[in-house]
């Protein structure tokens, strides 16, 4: 599996396993989670994406239980998690509204809580989950710098930030932001042309792509033209059509890291087959055209 260096000392596998649906599985036992981790590791997928809010603030603990059961797995993994969303569910059920908190106090407490729930002593990559209109970039930047200096976090980045959000925060930091995890897929392809990917390319920052299958919509009957195009390429190269959509992202020169989330072991075991797709320029544009619904200008 190809690996990508985000910062000095931190590499991620080119494909990342997303754990946002970990709590949706019928079986959330440590044994079941361990099986998913091992299915990833067997094909070189070593990076695992979490967030404190996933599963109604339960997913981190599910991963932590698996790592307690099989602690040797930790040394083979890079663990990513996120903070700053407070939703009126789970431990925040008493809150009256969903909001974001990028205060230093919240970042520090989130790190400590995530370390406990994940049963680890260091987070490999901490991301701010959403831009916060009330962010004091000096306070937030200082808190992220201190998190890295403390050794509790190896690297920091953001998620869903626009270029102006990125530059504001980075201007108040000594630590280089390592990535921006944004929504990118064949159906959500605006970042290809609106400057978001170009901005990260200019900075030589590898982006992460959440929901690379558009929440499964790519494979639904509602997008028949898109589905047919994916199946055509999949049949040609002998891979599942969902992996053609992943290969489309992998082919982009921004060095996108798709975050794929599934609870099905069979699908997990085939994720690296995305590299078997022959994604030449014409194939890439055939899929892009199907996604747009018309030829490019």
């Amino acid at each position: 599996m190809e690996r990508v260096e985000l910062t000095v000392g931190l590499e991620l596998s080119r494909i990342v396993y997303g754990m946002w649906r970990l709590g949706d599985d019928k079986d959330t036992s440590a044994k079941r989670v361990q099986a998913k981790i091992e299915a990833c590791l067997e094909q070189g997928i070593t990076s695992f994406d979490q967030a404190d809010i996933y599963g109604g603030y339960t997913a981190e603990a599910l991963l932590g239980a698996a790592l307690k059961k099989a602690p040797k797995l930790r040394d083979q993994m890079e663990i990513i998690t996120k903070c700053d969303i407070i939703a009126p569910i789970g431990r925040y059920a008493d809150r009256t509204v969903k909001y974001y908190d990028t205060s230093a106090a919240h970042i520090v407490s989130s790190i400590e809580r995530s370390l406990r729930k994940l049963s680890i002593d260091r987070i490999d990559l901490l991301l701010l989950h959403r831009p916060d209109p009330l962010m004091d970039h000096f306070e937030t930047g200082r808190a992220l710098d201190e998190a890295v200096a403390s050794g509790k976090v190896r690297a920091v980045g953001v998620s869903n930030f626009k270029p102006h959000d990125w530059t504001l925060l980075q201007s108040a930091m000594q630590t280089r932001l390592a990535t921006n995890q944004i929504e990118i897929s064949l159906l959500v392809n605006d970042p290809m042309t609106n400057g978001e990917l170009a901005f990260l390319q200019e900075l030589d920052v590898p982006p992460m792509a959440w929901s690379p299958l558009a929440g499964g919509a790519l494979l639904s009957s509602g997008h028949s033209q898109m589905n047919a195009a994916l199946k055509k390429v999949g049949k040609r190269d002998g891979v599942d059509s969902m992996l053609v959509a992943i290969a489309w992202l992998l082919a982009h020169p921004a060095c996108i890291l798709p975050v794929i989330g599934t609870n099905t072991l069979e699908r997990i075991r085939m994720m690296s087959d995305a590299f078997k797709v022959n994604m030449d320029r014409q194939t890439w544009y055939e899929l892009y055209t199907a996604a747009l619904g018309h030829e490019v200008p």
Side-chain angles (χ1 to χ4, degrees), residues 55-81:
Y57 300 100
T58 65
E60 286 183 326
L62 294 176
L63 174 55
L67 294 179
K68 281 184 179 179
K69 179 179 175 63
K72 291 183 179 180
L73 291 175
R74 174 63 181 109
D75 292 337
Q76 305 174 60
M77 303 167 65
E78 299 86 40
I79 296 178
I80 304 151
T81 196

Side-chain angles (χ1 to χ4, degrees), residues 22-284:
L22 206 60
D24 297 340
D25 201 349
K26 292 180 181 179
D27 182 357
T28 58
S29 66
K31 182 179 179 180
R32 172 72 172 175
V33 175
Q34 181 181 342
K36 295 174 187 177
I37 295 170
E38 291 173 343
C40 288
L41 295 176
E42 287 167 5
Q43 55 193 310
I45 297 172
T46 63
S47 304
F48 297 82
D49 182 73
Q50 276 275 356
D52 58 358
I53 194 175
Y54 288 168
Y57 300 100
T58 65
E60 286 183 326
L62 294 176
L63 174 55
L67 294 179
K68 281 184 179 179
K69 179 179 175 63
K72 291 183 179 180
L73 291 175
R74 174 63 181 109
D75 292 337
Q76 305 174 60
M77 303 167 65
E78 299 86 40
I79 296 178
I80 304 151
T81 196
K82 311 176 195 72
C83 69
D84 92 9
I85 299 179
I86 295 180
I89 54 174
R91 63 172 175 266
Y92 297 119
D94 62 334
R95 306 304 164 94
T96 60
V97 67
K98 182 179 181 181
Y99 61 95
Y100 309 129
D101 190 344
T102 53
S103 68
H106 183 72
I107 291 170
V108 170
S109 65
S110 294
I111 291 169
E112 295 296 339
R113 185 181 293 109
S114 289
L115 290 172
R116 289 196 305 272
K117 287 185 172 293
L118 291 165
S119 301
I120 58 177
D121 56 14
R122 180 172 62 175
I123 296 166
D124 293 301
L125 177 61
L126 176 72
L127 307 181
L128 294 183
H129 207 154
R130 291 277 177 179
D132 173 16
L134 293 179
M135 180 181 74
D136 178 332
H137 62 297
F138 294 111
E139 178 183 354
T140 302
R142 184 167 55 252
L144 294 175
D145 281 338
E146 290 173 355
V148 174
S150 73
K152 294 179 179 180
V153 174
R154 183 183 293 186
V156 292
V158 295
S159 181
N160 301 298
F161 272 43
K162 298 299 182 184
H164 52 268
D165 299 310
W166 173 288
T167 56
L168 176 64
L169 178 58
Q170 187 68 90
S171 72
M173 295 181 64
Q174 296 180 349
T175 308
R176 184 174 184 263
L177 292 171
T179 191
N180 189 7
Q181 186 176 129
I182 57 179
E183 184 177 10
I184 322 173
S185 68
L186 270 161
L187 293 186
V188 183
N189 53 58
D190 289 350
M192 301 283 177
T193 55
N194 69 6
E196 291 184 58
L197 280 182
F199 172 77
L200 295 170
Q201 279 181 269
E202 183 179 359
L203 296 176
D204 194 25
V205 172
M208 300 175 72
W210 63 266
S211 200
L213 300 175
L218 276 173
L219 310 177
S220 71
S221 58
H223 295 279
S224 56
Q225 184 179 358
M226 183 76 263
N227 209 339
L230 291 169
K231 287 181 177 179
K232 176 184 175 182
V233 178
K235 183 178 180 180
R236 182 196 72 189
D237 292 347
V239 301
D240 189 283
S241 57
M242 79 164 186
L243 298 174
V244 177
I246 300 302
W248 187 80
L249 292 174
L250 293 172
H252 194 279
C255 195
I256 298 168
L257 284 73
V259 182
I260 310 176
T262 175
N263 281 316
T264 306
L265 284 173
E266 291 74 16
R267 284 184 173 268
I268 293 173
R269 292 189 179 110
M270 68 170 67
M271 291 197 301
S272 60
D273 285 351
F275 292 98
K276 296 179 180 179
V277 179
N278 180 22
M279 190 59 64
D280 57 34
R281 186 176 292 263
Q282 182 169 298
T283 301
W284 196 92

